[in-house]
């Protein structure tokens, strides 16, 4: 039988790609996977680090090490770094007795019965390497060798624990009584400072932004002027914060003779918030259909009343979203705070003063000491607080922006 | 309350463009007048000049007079906003205010003109919604948003809103073209009832509607290709549809063009 008569047709090839084609597929897929991981992993890493290091500060307090003392049998000949002299009565009786016994029993200072007590400024903690510190208690963050020189006569004690207790101190106390090397206090001054700054900035930027947008959309629409202004405002949304701070420094402080203060920082933040609010309000107003304006005019309602009672309420949701997002942006801007405000550890309500705490500057201050000092750890707490505020504002913006039935 | 409105030597311009020329017409009180004509001939434009709504378009102006019971709406010192309180308008697409409830929509015109007495407003709401044949359907949900109604109901809400301010003349710009046939019939019945209290002028593309609803009909057309629109003929509806005087009118009515 001839095959040319009964030829089978060519088979349709439905099999998966193999060989070189498959290798290329896998390579591309792998590259995409790696790139995504490189982008996403750091985000989670940052968030995880901030939450892990900051959360304990927000909701708990370090155990109280203050009663652990070093007691010496004679007046010191040198001041120990990180120690402050306290009355012996401030120390735990067991520690004092213990120390006295050690010294007296060792016969080191026969006849001396004056004891001087020192308490470390920096908290003590259990030392993983007890032998080096000679007792199991160390100054947090210091090298073991340095411990030996400065930690004199402190008995080993289980009082140096690591269990934290629940505490709302973070939210209710400021840092006026606490050194960077000490535990204690909270971040109330920074939280109030940041919120007050945000409030003053919004009080100025929001009316200006909304009124500017109303002018551009309702009174100057279509004219070349409004297109130019919109374009310029778009550029202004990208101004670096330090440039805005420099401008305010030059104008408000050097030329007009004002002082560095919260008000000055607020003015710089207004320059950063205003373009965002204006542009988003402008877009929302443009979305209101003209038929609504016409319906209002046809009822004999003047233009400004139409804007106030028909156009703005219709665009209300979107405008609010723009405002909240603008606030979230400026809450974390640090350059204006560095240039125009001093960080003050005390709770301060007066916006014209030059010593006010704020979360970004507290974070900055935390980098001025070694990483294990409590001051540095409080920086992480401040970072987490700031992230919570900004995330909270974003959540509010989303909730407001989601479509809901109008009342 | 219903007044006579007339146009004398009305010419309408958009910037340099002459849109409508030499309109002279009179609308009697307590009647329904229909403006008919092909697309783009100026019917809606003329309608909008009757309450100075064309002025919201930048560059639009007109010459001539529009007299409301003898008072020239374009006279010196006349406030366009006040004109619109006396000559109301209902638009093609229903446009209730989305940020307001049904109650607030109906009294919007009154409230924004300073009326705040709750009793007055309540009475106005019931009166207007009754007048718009919408009261029975919404009386239990006056607090609900105005945009939650069907298309026909929304248009009746807009009519209620327009008549709540008690205008002398009610202008309607193709009020049924965005609605289904049942709602259209409801609105046409409503117009017959409204004519007892108001002077109604309605622009419509639908000639059967004009024949059903109106007492007088005005036919507009372009004078020629590229020329401004003009009023060709106006007269009693029965005469216009059975025995018009101008040939152009007859051609349009019988469907030879338009």
């Amino acid at each position: 039988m001839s095959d040319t008569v009964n030829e089978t047709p060519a088979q349709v090839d439905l099999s998966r790609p193999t060989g070189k084609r498959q290798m290329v597929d896998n390579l591309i897929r792998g590259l995409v996977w790696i790139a995504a991981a490189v982008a996403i992993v750091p985000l989670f890493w940052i968030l995880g680090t901030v939450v892990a290091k900051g959360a304990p500060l927000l909701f708990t307090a370090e155990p109280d090490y203050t009663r652990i003392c070093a007691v010496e049998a004679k007046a010191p000949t040198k001041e120990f770094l990180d120690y402050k002299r306290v009355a012996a009565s401030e120390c735990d009786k067991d520690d004092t007795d213990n120390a006295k016994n050690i010294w007296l029993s060792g016969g080191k200072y026969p006849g001396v019965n004056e004891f001087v007590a020192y308490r470390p400024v920096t908290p003590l903690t259990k030392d993983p390497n007890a032998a080096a510190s000679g007792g199991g208690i160390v100054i947090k963050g210091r090298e073991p060798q340095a411990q030996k020189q400065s930690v004199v006569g402190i008995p080993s004690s289980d009082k140096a624990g690591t269990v934290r207790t629940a505490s709302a101190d973070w939210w209710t106390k400021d840092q006026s009584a606490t050194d960077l090397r000490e535990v204690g206090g909270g971040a109330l001054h920074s939280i109030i400072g940041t919120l007050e700054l945000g409030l003053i900035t919004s009080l100025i930027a929001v009316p200006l932004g909304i009124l500017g947008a109303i002018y551009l959309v309702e009174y100057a629409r279509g004219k070349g002027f409004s297109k130019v202004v919109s374009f310029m405002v778009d550029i202004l949304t990208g101004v670096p914060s330090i440039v805005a701070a420099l401008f305010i420094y030059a104008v408000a402080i050097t030329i007009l003779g004002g002082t560095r203060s919260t008000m000055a920082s607020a003015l710089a933040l207004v320059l950063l918030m205003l373009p965002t609010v204006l542009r988003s309000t402008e877009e929302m107003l443009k979305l209101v259909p003209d038929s609504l304006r016409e319906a209002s005019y046809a009822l004999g309602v003047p233009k400004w009343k139409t804007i106030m009672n028909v156009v703005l309420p219709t665009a209300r949701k979107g405008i609010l979203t723009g405002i909240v997002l603008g606030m979230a942006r400026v809450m974390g801007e640090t350059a204006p705070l560095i240039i125009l405000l001093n960080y003050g550890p005390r709770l301060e309500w007066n916006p014209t003063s030059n010593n006010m705490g704020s979360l970004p500057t507290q974070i900055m201050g935390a980098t001025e000491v070694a990483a294990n000092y409590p001051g540095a750890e409080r920086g992480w707490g401040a970072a987490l607080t700031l992230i919570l505020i900004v995330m909270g504002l974003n959540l509010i913006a989303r909730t407001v922006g989601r479509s809901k039935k109008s009342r | 309350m219903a007044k006579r409105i007339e146009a004398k030597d009305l010419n309408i311009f958009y910037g340099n463009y002459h849109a409508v020329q030499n309109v002279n017409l009179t609308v009697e009180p307590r009647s329904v007048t229909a403006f008919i004509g092909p697309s783009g001939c100026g019917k809606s434009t003329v309608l909008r000049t009757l309450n100075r709504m064309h002025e919201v378009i930048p560059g639009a102006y007109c010459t001539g007079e529009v007299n409301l019971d003898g008072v020239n709406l374009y006279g010196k010192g006349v406030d366009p906003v006040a004109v619109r309180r006396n000559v109301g308008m209902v638009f093609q697409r229903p446009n209730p205010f989305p940020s307001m409830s049904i109650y607030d929509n109906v009294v919007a015109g009154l409230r924004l003109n300073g009326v705040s007495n709750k009793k007055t407003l309540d009475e106005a709401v019931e009166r207007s919604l009754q007048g718009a044949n919408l009261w029975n359907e919404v009386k239990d949900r006056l607090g609900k948003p105005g945009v939650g109604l069907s298309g026909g109901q929304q248009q009746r809400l807009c009519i209620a809103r327009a008549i709540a301010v008690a205008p002398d003349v009610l202008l309607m710009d193709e009020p049924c073209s965005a609605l289904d046939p049942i709602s259209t019939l409801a609105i046409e019945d409503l117009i017959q009832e409204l004519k007892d209290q108001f002077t109604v002028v309605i622009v419509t593309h639908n000639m059967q509607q004009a024949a059903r609803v109106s007492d007088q009909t005005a036919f507009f057309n372009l004078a020629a290709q590229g020329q401004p629109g003009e009023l060709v003929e106006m007269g009693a509806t029965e005469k216009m549809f059975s025995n018009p005087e101008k040939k152009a009118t007859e051609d349009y009515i019988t469907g030879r063009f338009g």
Side-chain angles (χ1 to χ4, degrees):
Chain A
M1 218 89 53
S2 166
D3 274 359
T4 53
V5 175
N6 293 333
E7 247 179 42
T8 55
Q11 283 284 80
V12 175
D13 185 0
L14 294 176
S15 59
R16 287 173 187 273
T18 54
K20 184 163 167 215
R21 174 84 189 276
Q22 173 147 48
M23 234 169 57
V24 172
D25 270 351
N26 287 338
L27 184 66
I28 292 176
R29 205 180 307 151
L31 281 174
V32 169
W33 200 94
I34 292 174
V38 167
I40 294 173
V41 163
L43 288 176
F44 280 101
W45 196 353
I46 293 172
L47 207 57
T49 311
V50 172
V51 170
K53 291 181 102 106
L57 280 128
L58 262 63
F59 303 111
T60 63
E62 292 246 23
D64 190 1
Y65 296 112
T66 55
R67 301 287 290 171
I68 301 176
C69 294
V71 180
E72 272 214 315
K74 60 176 182 179
T77 52
K78 58 178 179 192
E79 290 294 326
F80 292 114
L81 193 67
D82 295 335
Y83 274 73
K84 57 185 178 189
R85 188 166 167 181
V86 296
S89 58
E90 280 192 39
C91 295
D92 197 88
K93 192 166 182 309
D94 284 342
D95 291 338
T96 342
D97 288 347
N98 223 351
K100 286 180 191 168
N101 290 339
I102 291 174
W103 282 103
L104 289 174
S105 67
K108 291 204 167 63
Y109 299 99
V112 172
N113 51 16
E114 191 210 338
F115 289 95
V116 177
Y118 285 91
R119 194 165 76 217
V121 168
T122 314
L124 304 174
T125 184
K126 265 208 186 313
D127 177 27
N129 190 3
S133 62
I137 312 298
V138 296
I139 302 173
K140 207 169 185 185
R142 294 285 297 265
E143 290 299 321
Q145 285 308 312
Q147 306 278 352
K148 234 181 149 166
Q149 287 163 0
S150 33
V151 178
V152 257
I154 294 186
S156 64
S157 159
D158 281 328
K159 294 191 195 74
T162 49
V163 175
R164 304 176 72 104
T165 52
S167 157
D169 275 358
W170 181 259
W171 309 93
T172 53
K173 294 203 182 136
D174 61 21
Q175 291 283 302
S176 49
T178 322
D179 186 81
L180 274 177
R181 299 161 300 169
E182 290 183 301
V183 288
L188 181 64
H189 61 304
S190 301
I191 296 172
I192 297 290
T194 298
L195 291 178
E196 195 174 313
L197 203 53
L199 188 67
I200 297 176
T201 307
S202 301
L203 283 176
I204 303 175
V206 167
L208 290 181
I210 293 182
L211 291 175
I214 290 177
Y215 172 75
L216 286 178
V217 174
E218 304 292 330
Y219 291 92
R221 178 139 44 144
K223 300 206 176 84
F225 174 67
S226 76
K227 290 201 189 85
V228 168
V229 171
S230 279
F231 181 64
M232 298 292 299
V233 170
D234 264 340
I235 295 179
L236 278 172
T237 54
V239 162
S241 58
I242 194 156
V243 172
L246 181 64
F247 177 73
I248 294 295
Y249 188 80
V251 171
I253 293 176
T254 307
I255 297 179
L256 293 180
T259 56
R260 298 173 75 233
S261 63
T262 307
M263 276 308 299
S265 302
L267 288 179
L269 292 179
V270 163
L271 286 182
L272 297 170
M273 186 173 172
L274 182 57
T276 309
V277 172
L278 197 152
R279 277 302 268 149
S280 72
T281 307
E282 192 190 341
E283 291 304 315
M284 288 300 128
L285 290 178
K286 280 189 189 163
L287 282 178
V288 174
D290 271 337
S291 61
L292 292 182
R293 295 182 180 88
E294 287 201 333
S296 182
Y297 296 149
L299 290 169
V301 178
K303 184 163 184 168
W304 65 274
K305 263 198 189 163
T306 301
I307 297 172
M308 292 286 300
N309 291 292
V310 175
V311 179
L312 277 182
T314 306
R316 174 180 51 208
K317 244 175 4 198
I319 295 176
L320 254 150
T321 308
I323 293 174
V324 173
L325 289 176
M327 277 179 75
R329 185 200 160 188
V330 300
M331 286 271 188
E333 293 289 353
T334 314
L337 298 170
I338 301 174
I339 294 184
L340 296 165
L341 184 62
N342 279 339
Y343 173 74
R346 203 166 34 91
L347 177 59
E348 173 72 65
W349 292 95
N350 181 3
T352 59
S353 90
N354 192 15
N355 273 300
M356 198 184 244
S358 73
L359 290 169
T361 44
Q362 181 172 11
I363 298 172
M364 259 185 52
T367 60
E368 287 165 11
V369 287
N372 281 329
Y373 276 118
E377 293 186 342
R378 284 194 284 274
W380 288 102
L384 180 60
T385 312
L386 190 56
I387 287 188
L388 285 177
I389 292 180
V390 171
M391 266 176 43
L393 286 174
N394 273 295
L395 279 175
I396 292 175
R398 279 172 173 266
T399 316
V400 166
R402 212 174 290 144
S403 50
K404 56 182 168 70
K405 283 201 278 206
S406 40
R407 273 188 307 105
Chain B
M1 190 169 54
K3 292 193 179 152
R4 169 182 297 113
I5 187 166
E6 57 177 3
K8 261 201 213 156
D9 299 324
L10 191 62
N11 283 279
I12 309 171
F13 299 86
Y14 286 116
N16 287 330
Y17 174 63
H18 193 178
V20 176
Q21 63 185 5
N22 298 330
V23 173
N24 284 285
L25 55 82
T26 303
V27 178
E28 294 297 326
R30 291 200 183 74
S31 70
V32 180
T33 302
F35 288 1
I36 61 172
S39 294
C41 64
K43 331 185 273 298
S44 288
T45 310
V46 172
L47 191 79
R48 290 169 81 103
T49 49
L50 295 182
N51 70 348
R52 296 187 71 160
M53 277 298 286
H54 67 294
E55 289 173 5
V56 303
I57 299 168
Y61 69 98
C62 67
T63 61
E65 287 179 14
V66 173
N67 291 317
L68 184 66
D69 255 12
V71 177
N72 184 4
L73 301 179
Y74 289 89
K76 259 175 83 116
V78 171
D79 181 10
V81 174
V83 166
R84 296 177 199 135
R85 282 184 212 129
N86 290 303
V87 183
M89 187 175 242
V90 175
F91 297 87
Q92 184 173 347
R93 304 202 70 91
N95 49 17
F97 299 129
S99 57
M100 300 185 190
S101 65
I102 294 176
Y103 183 99
D104 289 334
N105 261 290
V106 176
V107 295
L110 291 170
R111 230 189 225 141
L112 293 175
N113 278 313
V115 178
S116 56
N117 181 311
K118 186 155 189 332
K119 203 157 162 302
T120 318
L121 293 179
D122 285 345
E123 282 169 4
V125 165
E126 185 168 347
R127 185 176 18 97
S128 312
L129 287 173
Q130 293 269 19
N133 280 346
L134 194 57
W135 175 249
N136 287 328
E137 288 167 58
V138 299
K139 63 177 186 245
D140 297 325
R141 44 181 177 138
L142 292 176
K144 291 276 162 64
V147 297
L149 303 171
S150 76
Q153 288 173 322
Q154 283 188 12
Q155 190 64 303
R156 279 180 279 154
L157 177 61
C158 293
I159 293 174
R161 179 177 65 188
I163 64 179
V165 294
D168 301 317
V169 179
L170 188 62
L171 307 174
M172 304 178 109
D173 191 352
E174 301 188 44
C176 302
S177 33
L179 304 177
D180 62 277
I182 308 285
S183 308
T184 301
L185 211 53
I187 306 259
E188 287 181 10
D189 289 340
L190 178 56
I191 294 176
Q192 291 298 305
E193 291 173 23
L194 290 176
K195 139 172 127 175
D196 293 335
Q197 289 178 62
F198 306 98
T199 307
V200 179
V201 182
I202 169 171
V203 165
T204 178
H205 264 132
N206 185 336
M207 276 188 292
Q208 290 76 28
Q209 180 174 82
R212 284 194 293 268
V213 146
S214 63
D215 305 316
Q216 297 266 322
T217 301
F219 170 59
F220 288 83
N221 196 7
L222 293 175
Q225 184 77 291
Q227 292 282 324
E230 59 178 8
L231 173 62
V232 174
E233 190 182 342
M234 181 170 176
T237 300
E238 282 162 13
K239 178 165 183 301
M240 290 280 287
F241 277 86
S242 57
N243 190 16
E245 282 171 28
K246 300 265 170 61
K247 182 166 188 313
T249 316
E250 193 183 333
D251 287 345
Y252 182 72
I253 305 270
T254 53
R256 283 200 203 107
F257 76 96

